[in-house]
């Protein structure tokens, strides 16, 4: 299929993509559609094998979880791109102000060129193929660096992409942090990174050396506020689902809970019942994912131990018993946590839910506003005045009201972070534009009066400026 072997050194692959992108700057709709079709076919034909690879990489990771959390989201994203790319790639005529008339003006939408995509391991298909498909729809070439922590998935993805695309259209570079660093140093036209805030800083620094613009889809501590007006029995299952999907290894999982003081016992009871409904028999359930590596598992266990040793009350919810996988970590609730505990200083990224309490809503909002701006925020309740106070009084990457996670699945909502949870957003037209140069074009008219502004400045110039002062 490809004239350029995909196993060339990454700089040579970049050069090939660069040449190809400059040789075909105007990428027709048919070419973009065909590339999207190939991504869709890859999922349709090889979805089961890819889901098996994810399962093997994790230890326990239900293929149905991959179906909903990776493929369903991807199909929705690709379908949206297929439907709208034709309209989105068209130039936009814009109104021309009176002092420039009769000139005309439009914004021409063009591909950027070569886009680099660096992906994480937690949803290793959605978060690699999603940005790849979006960049392709916008007419770009893509170099992808998937995570080394899901080697089977990344390896299969590379094989399949190299079977479906010429290496100067899409190619995959595999490896760990050293390879990733070299990858981030390539002079891409745009670098799209999904991963931790700590690595995001390194990516931004590497890209800055080339003045490569970046999108950083990072992590952080996403709060979940339960309002006094909320029905705890109804909300607990939504919180448990958002927290325990992929065993908490979800960038927008609720990281910690803010609960009205005095409701702790009720919430604990409702949460335990909700987990029993989601995972009958406890953490050994095959739909409950394992923690990705022993290192990640040990870090989480250490965070819980640190909280316990500082006097917090740790409630083990639905233990695994003797069965299941050793890394299927028992979900825990943590009450009475000190604000300086490690659990409150770093993103948890696992099935551990600290429950903080508040007496007045301002107190809850102060806790949120004192920290870095979160990737997501969740609010539960029926008191709309209280809801609106939270919406206007906090800044986050995104919000779902009365549920968790769901804003990521809405293609009309830009998805991304703010501040330490990242910058730039994608999904839908926002994503298309992230990978598009919006080139302003002014077409001057032969009847233009621009000469009125030329020197030497005299009385005519003063009259024109006087008129404009009144108009503008
Ligand atoms: P990570 O930052 O450890 O790794 C992500 C990718 O970066 C990997 O491919 C890795 O090889 C690469 N990398 C490592 N060192 C690098 C360097 N010096 N330069 C360039 N790239 C480098 O993240 P992870 O552990 O794979 O994923 C978990 C993190 O990702 C969590 O913080 C989570 O919140 C975040 N995340 C964010 C989103 C989002 O959409 N905002 C989605 C998923 C995960």
């Amino acid at each position: 299929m490809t004239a350029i072997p995909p196993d060339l050194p990454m700089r040579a692959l970049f050069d090939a993509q660069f040449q190809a992108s400059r040789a075909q700057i105007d990428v027709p709709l048919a070419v973009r559609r065909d590339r999207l079709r190939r991504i869709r076919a890859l999922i349709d034909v090889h979805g089961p094998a890819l889901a098996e690879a994810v399962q093997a990489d994790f230890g326990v990771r239900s293929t149905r979880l991959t179906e909903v959390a990776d493929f369903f989201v991807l199909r929705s994203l690709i379908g949206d791109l297929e439907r709208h790319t034709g309209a989105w790639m068209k130039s936009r005529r814009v109104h021309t102000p009176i002092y420039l008339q009769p000139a005309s003006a439009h914004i021409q939408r063009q591909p950027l060129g070569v886009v680099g995509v660096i992906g994480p391991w937690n949803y290793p298909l959605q978060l690699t193929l999603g940005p790849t498909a979006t960049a392709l729809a916008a007419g770009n070439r893509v170099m992808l660096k998937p995570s080394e922590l899901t080697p089977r998935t990344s390896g299969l993805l590379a094989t399949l992409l190299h079977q479906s695309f010429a290496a100067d259209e899409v190619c995959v570079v595999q490896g760990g942090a050293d390879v990733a660093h070299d990858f981030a140093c390539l002079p891409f036209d745009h670098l799209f990174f999904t991963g931790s805030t700590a690595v995001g800083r390194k990516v931004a620094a590497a890209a800055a050396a080339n003045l490569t613009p970046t999108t950083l889809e990072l992590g952080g501590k996403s709060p979940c506020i339960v309002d006094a007006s909320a029905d705890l029995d109804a909300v607990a299952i939504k919180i448990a689902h958002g927290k325990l999907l992929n065993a908490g290894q979800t960038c927008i999982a609720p990281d910690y809970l803010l609960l009205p003081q005095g409701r702790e016992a009720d919430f604990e009871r409702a949460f335990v019942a909700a987990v029993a409904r989601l995972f009958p028999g406890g953490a050994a359930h095959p739909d409950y994912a394992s923690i990705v590596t022993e290192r990640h598992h040990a870090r989480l266990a250490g965070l819980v131990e640190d909280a316990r040793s500082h006097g917090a009350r740790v409630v083990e919810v639905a233990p695994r018993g003797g069965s299941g996988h050793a890394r299927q970590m028992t979900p825990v609730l943590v009450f009475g946590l000190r604000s300086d505990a490690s659990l409150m200083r770093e993103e948890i990224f696992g099935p551990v839910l600290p429950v903080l309490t508040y007496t007045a809503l301002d107190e809850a909002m102060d806790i949120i506003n004192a920290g870095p701006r979160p990737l997501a925020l969740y609010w539960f309740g029926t008191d709309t005045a209280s809801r609106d106070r939270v919406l206007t009084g906090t800044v986050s990457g995104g919000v779902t009201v009365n549920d968790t996670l769901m804003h990521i699945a809405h293609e009309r909502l830009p998805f991304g972070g703010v501040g330490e949870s990242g910058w730039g957003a994608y999904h839908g037209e926002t994503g298309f534009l992230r990978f598009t140069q919006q080139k302003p074009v002014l077409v001057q008219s032969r009847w233009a009066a621009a000469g009125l502004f030329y020197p030497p400045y005299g009385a005519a110039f003063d009259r024109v400026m006087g008129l404009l002062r009144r108009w503008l």
Side-chain angles (χ1 to χ4, degrees), residues 120-379:
W121 51 264
N122 59 333
Y123 294 98
L125 300 167
Q126 183 208 140
L127 299 172
T128 49
L129 291 177
T132 296
T134 311
L136 291 175
N140 299 284
R141 318 252 156 184
V142 177
M143 284 181 73
L144 170 65
K145 207 309 270 169
S147 174
E148 67 279 20
L149 294 186
T150 44
R152 295 171 189 83
T153 312
S154 299
L156 181 56
L157 197 55
T159 303
L160 296 173
L161 283 169
H162 291 154
Q163 280 168 5
S164 307
F165 289 89
D168 60 3
E169 280 179 308
V170 176
C171 64
V172 182
V173 171
Q174 295 183 76
D178 290 351
V179 170
H181 167 76
D182 293 348
F183 186 90
C185 290
L186 292 172
F188 292 111
D189 294 299
H190 191 95
L191 180 53
F192 188 103
F193 171 79
T194 305
S196 60
T197 298
V199 175
R201 278 182 216 286
K202 297 183 189 172
V203 169
N210 298 314
L211 295 181
T212 291
T214 53
T215 300
L216 301 180
E217 300 282 345
L218 310 179
K221 297 191 77 63
S222 298
C224 177
I225 305 181
V226 176
D227 190 64
S229 60
D231 170 354
L232 293 186
D233 288 318
V235 308
I237 192 145
K238 296 178 177 209
I239 296 170
H241 175 250
K243 183 69 187 183
L244 301 181
L245 186 83
N246 207 21
Q249 301 165 111
T250 302
C251 57
I252 51 171
D255 186 272
Y256 64 97
L257 202 68
L258 288 158
L259 191 71
Q261 199 161 44
R263 307 288 300 276
E264 296 93 312
D266 289 341
F267 179 77
E268 181 180 330
R269 182 189 42 72
F271 191 82
V272 170
V275 176
R277 270 180 65 192
L278 292 171
F279 305 109
H285 196 281
D287 290 343
Y288 182 66
S290 54
I291 302 302
V292 69
T293 70
E294 192 43 51
R295 174 170 62 85
H296 291 75
H297 188 259
R299 182 188 75 89
L300 288 164
L303 287 175
V304 174
E305 257 339 286
D306 175 74
R308 206 194 304 264
S309 68
H310 286 88
R313 184 168 72 88
V314 175
V315 178
E316 300 205 340
V317 183
R320 186 163 47 81
S323 55
H325 191 287
R327 293 198 307 274
Q328 278 180 307
M329 182 175 178
T330 300
V332 296
L333 290 172
V334 182
F335 294 94
L337 199 60
R338 282 178 18 187
S339 59
D340 61 348
S342 309
L343 265 178
M344 285 312 293
R345 280 190 275 112
E346 51 188 277
E347 178 183 10
I348 296 171
F349 220 57
V352 180
L353 183 62
V355 180
L356 312 189
T357 57
Y358 65 90
T359 46
L361 191 56
D362 282 340
E363 204 186 316
M365 286 162 58
D366 287 348
I367 291 172
I368 295 166
N369 289 332
R373 290 190 155 151
L375 181 59
L377 179 145
Y378 302 107
W379 183 91

